[in-house]
Amino acid sequence: MGIVSDIFRVVFGGGRNVVRETAEVFRENAEAGAQRVYGVQGQAMTQFGAEFAAQFGARNRGWFDPFMDGLNRLPRPALALGTLALFISAMVDPLWFAARMQGIALVPDPLWWLLGVIVSFYFGARHQLKAQDFQRDIALNMARAPQVMANITALEKLRSDSRSNSPGVAESGPDAQLGIAAVTPEHNLALEDWKSLRAA
């Protein structure tokens, strides 16, 4: 008994667990990993909370920050609604619309170029982000294509009219009468008796 207790004291003695410490060299301790993740998430949420408290706190903000936030949100809806308003005005009052378009025709080309640069810079970052997201989505969809094809093949094998060698499906080949006989339901005496009892 003394040898066994000495072995246990070597392995588990001194408040240490040699087996656990050796295993943690090859595999992360799940509890310690969860505590680290909790700490990181807690710090991130604290930082976000401090940023939003400074951004939305009534005492820390004057009138200028909310005004600029609202001004930054105006161009996209203003351009979209303004374009729709031009179409509506062309239908409602064509003469007024034609007069305004004659005024726009007098705008010099350098001013149009400047407007194009401003709009391009304003919307360019958003367009680039959306284009990168689109390319990433296409790559993910292409990576899923073999799995989708395998799923479609598996589903096609489950169809009742499939000609595979699945149980319960007759392989009729080119014989049309045999194909019709394979999908025609058989006479079911029990079902007929049940129907007659329900009709009575």
Side-chain angles (χ1 to χ4, degrees), residues 67-81 122-123:
F67 173 74
M68 288 308 294
D69 287 344
L71 198 61
N72 283 333
R73 292 187 177 120
L74 279 180
R76 283 189 203 98
L79 285 171
L81 295 174
Y122 187 80
F123 292 107

mmCIF file of all heavy atoms in Angstrom, residues 67-81 122-123:
data_model
loop_
_atom_site.group_PDB
_atom_site.id
_atom_site.type_symbol
_atom_site.label_atom_id
_atom_site.label_comp_id
_atom_site.label_asym_id
_atom_site.label_seq_id
_atom_site.Cartn_x
_atom_site.Cartn_y
_atom_site.Cartn_z
ATOM 1 N N PHE A 67 -25.533 67.208 -35.266
ATOM 2 C CA PHE A 67 -25.811 67.864 -36.548
ATOM 3 C C PHE A 67 -24.974 67.234 -37.659
ATOM 4 O O PHE A 67 -25.479 66.939 -38.748
ATOM 5 C CB PHE A 67 -25.514 69.367 -36.428
ATOM 6 C CG PHE A 67 -25.618 70.100 -37.730
ATOM 7 C CD1 PHE A 67 -26.849 70.373 -38.292
ATOM 8 C CD2 PHE A 67 -24.472 70.507 -38.395
ATOM 9 C CE1 PHE A 67 -26.948 71.044 -39.498
ATOM 10 C CE2 PHE A 67 -24.553 71.172 -39.607
ATOM 11 C CZ PHE A 67 -25.802 71.433 -40.155
ATOM 12 N N MET A 68 -23.681 66.998 -37.397
ATOM 13 C CA MET A 68 -22.819 66.398 -38.410
ATOM 14 C C MET A 68 -23.203 64.936 -38.683
ATOM 15 O O MET A 68 -23.126 64.479 -39.825
ATOM 16 C CB MET A 68 -21.345 66.471 -37.977
ATOM 17 C CG MET A 68 -20.767 67.866 -38.029
ATOM 18 S SD MET A 68 -21.011 68.686 -39.621
ATOM 19 C CE MET A 68 -20.011 67.695 -40.700
ATOM 20 N N ASP A 69 -23.629 64.209 -37.650
ATOM 21 C CA ASP A 69 -24.083 62.833 -37.867
ATOM 22 C C ASP A 69 -25.300 62.810 -38.788
ATOM 23 O O ASP A 69 -25.391 61.976 -39.703
ATOM 24 C CB ASP A 69 -24.433 62.160 -36.529
ATOM 25 C CG ASP A 69 -23.198 61.815 -35.728
ATOM 26 O OD1 ASP A 69 -22.091 61.803 -36.316
ATOM 27 O OD2 ASP A 69 -23.329 61.558 -34.526
ATOM 28 N N GLY A 70 -26.230 63.704 -38.555
ATOM 29 C CA GLY A 70 -27.406 63.784 -39.427
ATOM 30 C C GLY A 70 -27.034 64.217 -40.832
ATOM 31 O O GLY A 70 -27.582 63.711 -41.817
ATOM 32 N N LEU A 71 -26.088 65.146 -40.944
ATOM 33 C CA LEU A 71 -25.663 65.634 -42.266
ATOM 34 C C LEU A 71 -24.966 64.528 -43.055
ATOM 35 O O LEU A 71 -25.136 64.423 -44.270
ATOM 36 C CB LEU A 71 -24.725 66.827 -42.073
ATOM 37 C CG LEU A 71 -24.505 67.728 -43.269
ATOM 38 C CD1 LEU A 71 -25.818 68.343 -43.707
ATOM 39 C CD2 LEU A 71 -23.509 68.821 -42.920
ATOM 40 N N ASN A 72 -24.210 63.673 -42.370
ATOM 41 C CA ASN A 72 -23.532 62.570 -43.047
ATOM 42 C C ASN A 72 -24.512 61.523 -43.565
ATOM 43 O O ASN A 72 -24.194 60.790 -44.494
ATOM 44 C CB ASN A 72 -22.534 61.893 -42.093
ATOM 45 C CG ASN A 72 -21.271 62.696 -41.941
ATOM 46 O OD1 ASN A 72 -20.899 63.446 -42.839
ATOM 47 N ND2 ASN A 72 -20.618 62.559 -40.802
ATOM 48 N N ARG A 73 -25.694 61.461 -42.968
ATOM 49 C CA ARG A 73 -26.680 60.470 -43.402
ATOM 50 C C ARG A 73 -27.580 60.984 -44.519
ATOM 51 O O ARG A 73 -28.376 60.222 -45.047
ATOM 52 C CB ARG A 73 -27.543 60.061 -42.215
ATOM 53 C CG ARG A 73 -26.761 59.287 -41.179
ATOM 54 C CD ARG A 73 -27.646 58.738 -40.094
ATOM 55 N NE ARG A 73 -26.865 57.954 -39.162
ATOM 56 C CZ ARG A 73 -26.766 58.216 -37.880
ATOM 57 N NH1 ARG A 73 -27.410 59.237 -37.369
ATOM 58 N NH2 ARG A 73 -26.040 57.459 -37.095
ATOM 59 N N LEU A 74 -27.476 62.243 -44.863
ATOM 60 C CA LEU A 74 -28.381 62.813 -45.865
ATOM 61 C C LEU A 74 -28.088 62.470 -47.325
ATOM 62 O O LEU A 74 -29.030 62.292 -48.088
ATOM 63 C CB LEU A 74 -28.406 64.344 -45.719
ATOM 64 C CG LEU A 74 -29.310 64.903 -44.633
ATOM 65 C CD1 LEU A 74 -29.217 66.410 -44.612
ATOM 66 C CD2 LEU A 74 -30.728 64.468 -44.852
ATOM 67 N N PRO A 75 -26.843 62.422 -47.809
ATOM 68 C CA PRO A 75 -26.620 62.341 -49.258
ATOM 69 C C PRO A 75 -27.271 61.155 -49.953
ATOM 70 O O PRO A 75 -27.874 61.334 -51.017
ATOM 71 C CB PRO A 75 -25.092 62.287 -49.385
ATOM 72 C CG PRO A 75 -24.601 62.970 -48.168
ATOM 73 C CD PRO A 75 -25.574 62.632 -47.097
ATOM 74 N N ARG A 76 -27.168 59.954 -49.414
ATOM 75 C CA ARG A 76 -27.731 58.795 -50.118
ATOM 76 C C ARG A 76 -29.241 58.910 -50.268
ATOM 77 O O ARG A 76 -29.760 58.779 -51.385
ATOM 78 C CB ARG A 76 -27.353 57.500 -49.397
ATOM 79 C CG ARG A 76 -25.944 57.077 -49.655
ATOM 80 C CD ARG A 76 -25.679 55.683 -49.107
ATOM 81 N NE ARG A 76 -24.267 55.532 -48.877
ATOM 82 C CZ ARG A 76 -23.666 55.675 -47.706
ATOM 83 N NH1 ARG A 76 -24.374 55.936 -46.646
ATOM 84 N NH2 ARG A 76 -22.376 55.548 -47.581
ATOM 85 N N PRO A 77 -29.986 59.136 -49.182
ATOM 86 C CA PRO A 77 -31.436 59.262 -49.389
ATOM 87 C C PRO A 77 -31.809 60.492 -50.209
ATOM 88 O O PRO A 77 -32.769 60.459 -50.969
ATOM 89 C CB PRO A 77 -32.015 59.338 -47.976
ATOM 90 C CG PRO A 77 -30.891 59.490 -47.053
ATOM 91 C CD PRO A 77 -29.644 59.103 -47.761
ATOM 92 N N ALA A 78 -31.030 61.577 -50.085
ATOM 93 C CA ALA A 78 -31.348 62.780 -50.862
ATOM 94 C C ALA A 78 -31.173 62.518 -52.349
ATOM 95 O O ALA A 78 -32.008 62.940 -53.167
ATOM 96 C CB ALA A 78 -30.468 63.944 -50.411
ATOM 97 N N LEU A 79 -30.095 61.817 -52.748
ATOM 98 C CA LEU A 79 -29.896 61.505 -54.157
ATOM 99 C C LEU A 79 -30.984 60.566 -54.676
ATOM 100 O O LEU A 79 -31.519 60.762 -55.776
ATOM 101 C CB LEU A 79 -28.519 60.880 -54.368
ATOM 102 C CG LEU A 79 -27.332 61.844 -54.311
ATOM 103 C CD1 LEU A 79 -26.026 61.074 -54.323
ATOM 104 C CD2 LEU A 79 -27.371 62.803 -55.479
ATOM 105 N N ALA A 80 -31.317 59.539 -53.896
ATOM 106 C CA ALA A 80 -32.335 58.587 -54.347
ATOM 107 C C ALA A 80 -33.700 59.247 -54.460
ATOM 108 O O ALA A 80 -34.386 59.139 -55.487
ATOM 109 C CB ALA A 80 -32.398 57.400 -53.379
ATOM 110 N N LEU A 81 -34.104 59.976 -53.422
ATOM 111 C CA LEU A 81 -35.420 60.619 -53.442
ATOM 112 C C LEU A 81 -35.461 61.759 -54.448
ATOM 113 O O LEU A 81 -36.495 62.003 -55.083
ATOM 114 C CB LEU A 81 -35.785 61.116 -52.039
ATOM 115 C CG LEU A 81 -35.976 60.011 -50.994
ATOM 116 C CD1 LEU A 81 -36.189 60.614 -49.619
ATOM 117 C CD2 LEU A 81 -37.134 59.106 -51.374
ATOM 118 N N TYR A 122 -17.191 59.915 -52.229
ATOM 119 C CA TYR A 122 -18.163 59.700 -51.150
ATOM 120 C C TYR A 122 -18.678 58.269 -51.155
ATOM 121 O O TYR A 122 -18.788 57.631 -50.123
ATOM 122 C CB TYR A 122 -19.320 60.687 -51.284
ATOM 123 C CG TYR A 122 -20.263 60.643 -50.116
ATOM 124 C CD1 TYR A 122 -19.947 61.296 -48.931
ATOM 125 C CD2 TYR A 122 -21.442 59.916 -50.176
ATOM 126 C CE1 TYR A 122 -20.792 61.238 -47.851
ATOM 127 C CE2 TYR A 122 -22.286 59.853 -49.105
ATOM 128 C CZ TYR A 122 -21.965 60.517 -47.940
ATOM 129 O OH TYR A 122 -22.808 60.448 -46.876
ATOM 130 N N PHE A 123 -19.003 57.770 -52.363
ATOM 131 C CA PHE A 123 -19.571 56.434 -52.456
ATOM 132 C C PHE A 123 -18.535 55.364 -52.773
ATOM 133 O O PHE A 123 -18.861 54.176 -52.774
ATOM 134 C CB PHE A 123 -20.654 56.396 -53.538
ATOM 135 C CG PHE A 123 -21.875 57.191 -53.182
ATOM 136 C CD1 PHE A 123 -22.143 58.391 -53.804
ATOM 137 C CD2 PHE A 123 -22.744 56.746 -52.213
ATOM 138 C CE1 PHE A 123 -23.261 59.119 -53.474
ATOM 139 C CE2 PHE A 123 -23.865 57.472 -51.877
ATOM 140 C CZ PHE A 123 -24.129 58.667 -52.512
#
